[in-house]
Amino acid sequence: MSPLDFELPHDLEARVPAELRGDGRDDVRLLVSNTEDDSLVHAHFRELPRFLNPGDLVVLNTTATLPAAVTAVRGNGETIALHFSTALPDGRVIVEPRWNGSSETNGAHGTKQTFETFTIPGAGVTLLEPYRDSSRLWLARFDSDLPLRAYQQRHGHPIAYSYVDQRFPIDAYQTVFARDPGSAEMPSAGRAFTRQLLVCLRRRGVRLAKLVLHAGVASLEAHERPHEEFFDVQQRTVDEVRRAKARGGKVVAVGTTVVRALESSLDASGELVATRGWTDVVITPERGVRVVDALLTGFHEPKATHLAMLEAIAGREHIAKSYAAALEYGYLWHEFGDLHLIV
């Protein structure tokens, strides 16, 4: 797997939410790319309904973002950021220590230290072992009188990276349809939706369906394969997808998390079925996609594994053309940036 590589200029990194740059969450640009005729259309996100047809189905991820970052103190007194990625069923957690702002632990920091303990406000975290073959994620023990989620609500703040100018409240990292807490970082493709736009889609005759996938951390330093994430695709969503297919409508995934959840819900015969559990599915061009017909997503970093998913949906040449246009016309990247509709 060799995802698309390119140079992302710093001035194309969205540093503040759209509502601080313009007049609302939906005040972002939309690049619409169609694989049938290889066309590109420069539009505004508020125009989304005109690019969808009556009978299409838009699938939303209703996960809610947790304040998953805390300040941690190492045994030598060094202060770092610690990101809680995923709570595992056995009580352990997957964490990402941010050494000097980076997730990498080689170089000046030497070999990783198993059993290193961090002091965090009112609790402690002990690194147990590297998570699988990751260079940035650790299995850890969380020691607190509070359950992890309650602890995060009391002591945590949203995960944010160096391109963000200031610290924003957790509400800035929630979609308007978020209802199921569990994600370390916001599935940002859904951020631009407003309740008014959802009403416009319904009036257009576009159906809406929901599922859950709790997203882990998405570090920018290590473009490794995504790790296991919890998801829940219920029967009513399966029924909506089947009905959309039967009437010739498009299944439009809002975000790569929705693609991963749907593609993880196929049985041995390739039929979509209600499924709940943990997925390790990685969408590549070799694997392909079987459920979604269109994807609404943000613009992804160079070499990100999400780009392989985009190639699986639209092909390498079309994605390369789309990204070249996004760079040329100044589209904005990251969770507060512009959006890309691939049909």
Side-chain angles (χ1 to χ4, degrees), residues 286-334:
E286 291 74 21
R287 181 193 182 279
V289 292
R290 303 171 189 171
V291 182
V292 302
D293 305 298
L295 170 63
L296 178 70
T297 184
F299 291 98
H300 303 282
E301 290 74 28
K303 295 184 180 179
T305 52
H306 289 316
L307 290 168
M309 179 187 294
L310 270 58
E311 291 178 30
I313 294 170
R316 179 64 168 258
E317 291 185 6
H318 185 80
I319 295 303
K321 177 181 177 179
S322 299
Y323 270 62
L327 291 166
E328 179 183 358
Y329 287 91
Y331 283 75
L332 296 181
W333 258 249
H334 304 316

Side-chain angles (χ1 to χ4, degrees), residues 21 23 39 46 54 99 105 145 153 193 230 253 300 316:
R21 302 193 306 265
D23 61 0
S39 63
R46 291 170 183 162
W99 319 92
T105 57
D145 294 333
Q153 296 294 349
F193 281 91
F230 177 82
H300 303 282
R316 179 64 168 258

Side-chain angles (χ1 to χ4, degrees), residues 223-240:
H223 301 293
E224 62 197 67
R225 58 183 288 138
H227 59 277
E228 290 88 342
E229 294 169 316
F230 177 82
F231 73 105
D232 187 0
V233 177
Q234 298 190 1
Q235 186 61 47
R236 58 179 174 269
T237 296
V238 172
D239 294 339
E240 286 282 7

Side-chain angles (χ1 to χ4, degrees), residues 86-94 131 139 228-230 276-278:
T86 307
L88 298 176
D90 64 4
R92 294 179 298 174
V93 294
I94 302 173
Y131 181 67
L139 285 174
E228 290 88 342
E229 294 169 316
F230 177 82
R276 186 175 190 267
W278 293 79

Side-chain angles (χ1 to χ4, degrees), residues 83 165 276 315:
H83 296 169
D165 281 342
R276 186 175 190 267

Side-chain angles (χ1 to χ4, degrees), residues 241 245 251 259 262-263 266 270 272 289-294:
V241 170
K245 296 284 190 181
V251 175
V259 179
L262 290 174
E263 294 294 323
L266 300 174
L272 186 69
V289 292
R290 303 171 189 171
V291 182
V292 302
D293 305 298

